[in-house]
Amino acid sequence: MRRWLRRPAALIASGVVAAFVAVALAAPHLAPYDPIATDFRAVRKAPSGAHVLGTDEVGRDVLSRVIWGARASLLAGVIPVALALTVSIPLGLLSGYAGGWIDGLIMRLTDAMLAIPFLIVAIALAAFLGPSLTNAMLAIGIAALPTFLRLARGTVLALKTEEYVEAARALGCSHVRIAGRHIFPNMVAPLLIQSSLTVAAAVIAEASLSFLGLGQQPPAPSWGSMLNAAQRYLSQAPWIALYPGLVIFSLVMALNVLGDALRDALDPRYG
Amino acid sequence: MSLARFVARRIVVLVPTLFFVSVLIFSLQQLLPGDAALALAGEERDETAVAAIRARYHLDRPVVVQYAIWMGKVLRGDLGESLRSRLPVSELLASKLPVTLELAFASMLIALAIGIPAGVLSAARRGTVADLAANLVALSGLSVPHFWLGIMLILLFAVRLGWLPASGYVAPWENLGRNLTTILLPSIVLGTGVAGVMMRHTRGAMLQTLSADYVRTARAKSVPERLVILKHALRNALIPVITLGAIEFGRLLSGAVLTEQIFAIPGFGKLLVDGVFNRDYAVVQGVVLVSAGLYVLLNLLADVLYFVANPRLRG
């Protein structure tokens, strides 16, 4: 914790992420306009006093949509990672602890999933499942799964030969107790580091899927889908494209800095 | 171990991986909500058309039989037919792949040209302003959503300054100059992300080699610092970076999907996205299959390069 406070970058990044969370939670109170209310008297208006970040192609307030869009992005950052963790911890424990053909099968499947590039898995899954924010999150979670699974299993393999695990086994602890009480607590740090970096990747992946029309469906606001519409009005209304991208960039950058700092603080190999 | 034995052993390990890849890609079809034949028929909803599709794709047979039939065709290079264009999927893939490969190659050149010198500089001047700046730029390259960077570059260089075309693609054999101008912005967009990863890894590897004994010896012999860095440290630091280059190719293929969409480049990624929107499932499966195949091959290549570059593995 002290090392944490000594890193100004990590401190600023924590603040930025906390601010995004606060904005997402308080969206109904912070947004000056209804994010899906169209106003055809105010189409593609440049930033002004009435609309601080301007309006989009159907007269919706860009600032309000950016504020509400934080919900979709943060959800899409956290839920896929939670999904990947929930599946990979028990499977990784099973694979690493049991070994044998179970381990072989799980690892070959993991290799196969890793062979397909991340976003291509997510796009293909979203395509076959049908476009929606829920399916996009599911697709991102599945695409992120093999990395977590491999990490969880690798950690279990390393921990299995530790002396305190041997000691627990010699004392006659059951397999479930060894896995749960002795191995699992030591898996938390590497999985936490991976999670924080994957949240950043998932935010970008959701924006990408929504940009392609495979994530959040209109008129619900999402930073990615805002950019999709924005591209068509680039020469007349560049502000529609500028702000959603800037917020994605800031959030992802803050999450990456946080991930790096966590790794430096928790992983003895760095720092 | 000889090189031939090493390669043979790696290929044997690949067989089960490729088998599971094919199972995963085949299973995508099982995710289609409701009746797959109806979904595959698209707009043609009359019963004879749906029945024809059901018979043609053997949808009335057990899943295992369906897989065997599908795999048999894939092994003979038959990836089915596009529902939209009625062209064989393999033909579509063959015509789009070179475009994406050119884009990926150009992006990789940009990534190496920026990433490696930046990594060397920041390792050699560890803790200075240059190091901090290089790290900040690498982190930005990793964090920026590339499709947004593409839109911003179009806004600046095409819309405002008018220096480069906003979108489109000209094949190199038609007009090399136009080809390079159309590919420049998309390659920068894709290259910067990979440059960030390359820079971080080069820096890490350089810091390790710079603290190695042989570097200390070279310095003790008063070898000029430039030579110590470029000849003694960099040469060894590059070995892990080569491997990374091949793995990062997967990121390039992923990134190409959005970049091609933004710059309207008729490549692999655009084929995938168009396939998704036309509900052209055979095309989607084909693109996923080929990108996985390419990725596996590149990983094999990376392992071989690593083996060749690292005499200690040959013993």
Side-chain angles (χ1 to χ4, degrees):
Chain A
M1 198 64 206
R2 202 176 303 146
R3 283 169 84 179
W4 194 259
L5 292 173
R6 260 192 287 143
R7 293 176 66 104
L11 214 59
I12 295 170
S14 317
V16 171
V17 174
F20 271 104
V21 174
V23 166
L25 288 175
H29 307 289
L30 288 176
Y33 293 88
D34 179 347
I36 56 172
T38 54
D39 179 358
F40 288 97
R41 288 161 303 167
V43 170
R44 298 202 302 270
K45 288 273 178 280
S48 64
H51 297 278
V52 182
L53 301 184
T55 62
D56 71 2
E57 72 282 4
V58 287
R60 293 174 297 206
D61 180 51
V62 172
L63 175 64
S64 303
R65 290 180 70 74
V66 166
I67 290 174
W68 278 89
R71 291 194 162 188
S73 282
L74 286 173
L75 270 183
V78 173
I79 290 181
V81 172
L83 190 77
L85 278 173
T86 330
V87 178
S88 66
I89 291 173
L91 274 184
L93 273 169
L94 179 70
S95 186
Y97 201 79
W101 68 269
I102 299 178
D103 182 39
L105 181 70
I106 294 177
M107 280 303 108
R108 292 295 82 71
L109 260 173
T110 310
D111 284 345
M113 286 177 81
L114 280 172
I116 312 172
F118 180 73
L119 194 61
I120 292 184
V121 181
I123 290 174
L125 279 171
F128 279 86
L129 290 167
S132 76
L133 184 61
T134 317
N135 285 346
M137 292 193 287
L138 191 63
I140 297 167
I142 296 174
L145 182 60
T147 320
F148 278 89
L149 198 49
R150 184 176 267 195
L151 180 68
R153 178 226 183 216
T155 318
V156 174
L157 279 186
L159 293 169
K160 209 164 78 167
T161 53
E162 291 283 334
E163 276 168 18
Y164 60 85
V165 175
E166 301 265 339
R169 196 171 300 139
L171 286 170
C173 290
S174 71
H175 290 307
V176 175
R177 190 181 164 85
I178 292 175
R181 290 293 295 270
H182 299 279
I183 293 183
F184 173 70
N186 291 297
M187 291 167 70
V188 173
L191 287 173
L192 192 66
I193 296 166
Q194 182 63 34
S195 299
S196 67
L197 295 171
T198 308
V199 171
V203 169
I204 290 211
E206 185 276 329
S208 306
L209 289 176
S210 292
F211 176 75
L212 292 173
L214 292 170
Q216 180 79 294
Q217 294 300 299
S222 141
W223 298 336
S225 53
M226 288 173 79
L227 284 170
N228 182 347
Q231 206 193 350
R232 273 172 277 146
Y233 304 99
L234 204 52
S235 48
Q236 308 101 310
W239 56 88
I240 312 179
L242 181 64
Y243 300 109
L246 271 182
V247 285
I248 303 175
F249 183 36
S250 328
L251 175 61
V252 172
M253 180 107 163
L255 286 167
N256 276 329
V257 170
L258 218 56
D260 281 357
L262 263 179
R263 189 186 55 194
D264 291 349
L266 295 175
D267 190 334
R269 280 173 298 170
Y270 294 88
Chain B
M1 203 190 330
S2 72
L3 181 63
R5 263 196 74 185
F6 175 78
V7 174
R9 194 182 279 188
R10 290 289 294 117
I11 289 175
V12 171
V13 179
L14 281 183
V15 174
T17 307
L18 287 173
F19 166 73
F20 280 111
V21 167
S22 73
V23 171
L24 288 178
I25 292 171
F26 172 78
S27 327
L28 279 176
Q29 213 173 301
Q30 313 297 320
L31 289 177
L32 283 177
D35 186 348
L38 268 180
L40 288 169
E43 276 119 55
E44 290 175 53
R45 281 299 161 99
D46 70 286
E47 265 172 44
T48 45
V50 175
I53 283 176
R54 188 167 287 135
R56 188 147 140 234
Y57 292 95
H58 310 280
L59 293 172
D60 44 358
R61 311 278 291 274
V63 180
V64 181
V65 177
Q66 285 182 41
Y67 170 78
I69 294 171
W70 178 78
M71 196 61 219
K73 283 187 178 169
V74 168
L75 286 175
R76 277 176 273 134
D78 176 5
L79 296 170
E81 187 183 75
S82 158
L83 284 173
R84 207 8 113 63
S85 62
R86 298 282 166 204
L87 288 169
V89 172
S90 50
E91 213 170 276
L92 281 172
L93 289 170
S95 69
K96 307 289 183 189
L97 191 57
V99 178
T100 301
L101 286 181
E102 190 201 354
L103 178 62
F105 187 70
S107 313
M108 195 47 103
L109 274 183
I110 291 178
L112 291 172
I114 302 173
I116 292 180
V120 171
L121 185 79
S122 93
R125 311 229 168 115
R126 190 183 189 179
T128 62
V129 179
D131 181 21
L132 189 73
N135 269 303
L136 203 65
V137 172
L139 192 65
S140 310
L142 284 173
S143 307
V144 70
H146 290 99
F147 56 102
W148 177 68
L149 180 65
I151 294 174
M152 290 296 115
L153 290 180
I154 290 176
L155 181 62
L156 180 63
F157 289 105
V159 176
R160 287 284 148 89
L161 297 171
W163 290 354
L164 290 164
S167 62
Y169 177 78
V170 179
W173 49 86
E174 279 172 29
N175 184 333
L176 188 63
R178 294 266 315 275
N179 170 258
L180 292 177
T181 55
T182 50
I183 209 94
L184 182 64
L185 280 185
S187 318
I188 292 175
V189 167
L190 269 177
T192 45
V194 179
V197 183
M198 289 280 171
M199 179 268 162
R200 287 177 143 207
H201 278 262
T202 308
R203 179 176 185 273
M206 279 294 286
L207 285 178
Q208 238 171 27
T209 51
L210 278 174
S211 63
D213 286 340
Y214 58 84
V215 167
R216 192 147 28 108
T217 311
R219 279 183 177 147
K221 286 195 301 186
S222 61
V223 172
E225 185 64 19
R226 239 177 76 88
L227 273 185
V228 171
I229 288 171
L230 294 181
K231 205 174 149 200
H232 297 258
L234 181 60
R235 243 193 217 178
N236 286 292
L238 278 183
I239 296 174
V241 178
I242 299 172
T243 321
L244 184 78
I247 295 168
E248 280 304 304
F249 197 80
R251 189 190 290 255
L252 283 179
L253 277 181
S254 278
V257 176
L258 287 146
T259 311
E260 287 177 3
Q261 195 66 19
I262 288 159
F263 290 94
I265 294 173
F268 220 52
K270 191 135 190 340
L271 187 65
L272 175 67
V273 174
D274 291 347
V276 165
F277 284 106
N278 296 331
R279 303 189 154 267
D280 208 340
Y281 297 109
V283 170
V284 176
Q285 281 176 321
V287 172
V288 180
L289 190 71
V290 172
S291 51
L294 270 177
Y295 190 63
V296 168
L297 269 181
L298 274 157
N299 269 295
L300 178 67
L301 186 71
D303 283 352
V304 172
L305 280 175
Y306 192 76
F307 185 81
V308 173
N310 200 341
R312 272 167 296 186
L313 287 177
R314 269 173 278 165

